[in-house]
Amino acid sequence: AVVSKQSTGEEIKELLKCSEEEWHSWAGRSDLSTFRLYDRATHVAGEAARVTEFHNLCTSVGANVEQLGKLIDDSHFSLKDMYNVSTEELDALTQICRDAGALGSRLVGAGFGGCTVSMVQSNQVERFIDQVYQGFYSHLPKEEVIGKYLFATKPSAGAAVLKM
């Protein structure tokens, strides 16, 4: 069996040689008639390349922040167009973030929700937060949004095991 750009569940079941029950336990959503496996694989391979390029830029002398931002944006567009996990709201929010000065903005998590991360120059953070609030969250009281839904962070080493 050959998997095409738009494979049906039947074609994938045949390729995997799985039962109807196994298929439904793996596929999750039974409302889909086609599965864009080629696009999903293209996204995964592209995302791996973007992560490698991002790392290489971060560890090089004189890293170009605009290039880093473009990689973040490219990741979002791939998640939207190839992996199909974005929503209209996330697309609007990432665009508002870019318009507010983000060098790059993308959804985070599994998608289908409302979480994004944006890379912003440190001297632009306050203006950025105010513009994103005005552009996306202004229907909510500012004191409920700032610090809870809209906040600044700084890069860090991330999770680690500490021996005590």
Side-chain angles (χ1 to χ4, degrees):
V2 175
V3 176
S4 64
K5 283 192 171 194
Q6 293 270 348
S7 299
T8 67
E10 291 302 318
E11 290 169 329
I12 298 169
K13 281 191 290 189
E14 181 183 326
L15 177 70
L16 297 175
K17 296 178 179 27
C18 67
S19 70
E20 189 74 24
E21 185 177 286
E22 289 173 315
W23 170 251
H24 285 293
S25 72
W26 297 334
R29 294 175 55 185
S30 60
D31 61 322
L32 299 175
S33 60
T34 59
F35 298 83
R36 296 172 49 194
L37 299 181
Y38 178 85
D39 289 349
R40 305 299 193 270
T42 300
H43 163 75
V44 170
E47 194 71 356
R50 283 185 288 278
V51 169
T52 299
E53 187 174 352
F54 198 95
H55 174 265
N56 291 342
L57 285 167
C58 286
T59 57
S60 67
V61 176
N64 182 323
V65 293
E66 284 79 19
Q67 287 177 302
L68 295 173
K70 182 179 181 327
L71 289 169
I72 293 169
D73 285 342
D74 289 348
S75 177
H76 178 78
F77 297 131
S78 182
L79 286 161
K80 173 187 171 216
D81 298 329
M82 303 299 276
Y83 219 69
N84 300 104
V85 293
S86 192
T87 63
E88 288 181 22
E89 293 83 3
L90 284 169
D91 294 339
L93 181 55
T94 57
Q95 189 56 56
I96 289 167
C97 290
R98 285 183 208 95
D99 293 344
L103 299 168
S105 187
R106 64 163 288 202
L107 70 88
V108 292
F112 308 117
C115 227
T116 66
V117 65
S118 299
M119 188 170 80
V120 179
Q121 296 277 7
S122 59
N123 64 349
Q124 299 293 314
V125 170
E126 284 186 39
R127 185 184 63 79
F128 172 82
I129 287 175
D130 187 56
Q131 287 184 357
V132 173
Y133 171 78
Q134 294 300 325
F136 193 81
Y137 293 102
S138 61
H139 64 283
L140 297 170
K142 198 169 194 173
E143 62 276 1
E144 287 182 23
V145 174
I146 306 300
K148 184 175 181 181
Y149 302 117
L150 187 57
F151 53 91
T153 63
K154 292 182 180 180
S156 68
V161 175
L162 301 176
K163 294 185 180 189
M164 303 188 70

